[in-house]
Amino acid sequence: MGTKLKSALTSKWIKTKVLMQSSEISPLIPETVKFNKANLKTMLLKYGMIYVKPEHGTYGNGVMKVEQSKDSHGIEYKYQSGTKIKTFGAYDSFYSSLKKATRRRSYLIQRGIVLLKHGKHRFDIRVMVQLSPRGKWESTGLIGRVAEKGKIVTNYHNGGTLMSMEKLLSPYLNDAQQAQMLRILRKLGEDTGRFYHKKYPGFKQIGVDVGLDNHMTPWIIEVNTSPDPYIFKHLPNKSMYRKVMAYRRANMKKKSTS
């Protein structure tokens, strides 16, 4: 595997920069910058809540929720890592602690999106996008991921619960609105797959992680270039899982014969 393709596989920064070149997709990507002291202050002033995440990482490991608030006593800074929350009254001590938590690794800062919740737990959506046997990008699977109690990440491998889209969306949308939302999510996945494939033709499937806010805006939180196809096996209806696996096998067969 070439160095360029390997970086594209693992670097959230490269993936973000690639998708920011699309006029159609870029408005749905939360502002993302490299982690440093100045950028942290700017992003907190701008958004109040942000996420600090490792440039290279999986399963939501190392992701931190960072907030700034103001009251009569002054400005308060806090961040959550795992289930632990640390609070500070001074920016320098707050930044020093946060910097230490990054363990000298490359980190990014992303605008915080206030996600919809299932009960009291935030959720996001994994859109599985694959090259079909006919060579077209197709959204083959959609599944909700609900964060474990007290956690900020939704990943199944980090304690999250997998759930059908109908169950998650029904408190917010009627049947017709749900159908429209699913069409929007599928198209977003396919647009992302096609655009990313133009830059890096080696990919056959991607996982697009989408968060919905209170206005039902679908935000692309992250693109996973090595998505887990087996999560769809947890849905009661196995048709989605069968399709995902059929496309995966077809792509693997093409790869082995090419």
Side-chain angles (χ1 to χ4, degrees), residues 18-28 195:
V18 167
L19 293 178
M20 286 301 293
Q21 295 170 33
S22 165
S23 58
E24 201 169 5
I25 299 168
S26 59
L28 299 176
F195 191 82

Side-chain angles (χ1 to χ4, degrees), residues 185-205:
L185 292 170
R186 288 192 187 100
K187 183 180 184 301
L188 182 57
E190 288 157 8
D191 289 345
T192 303
R194 277 193 298 270
F195 191 82
Y196 204 70
H197 192 250
K198 284 180 186 176
K199 302 290 181 179
Y200 298 100
F203 294 109
K204 306 295 183 187
Q205 60 182 26

Side-chain angles (χ1 to χ4, degrees), residues 47-65:
Y47 300 114
M49 189 269 282
I50 58 176
Y51 284 91
V52 174
K53 55 172 68 176
E55 181 181 346
H56 304 272
T58 56
Y59 307 146
N61 293 323
V63 175
M64 293 175 277
K65 182 183 179 184

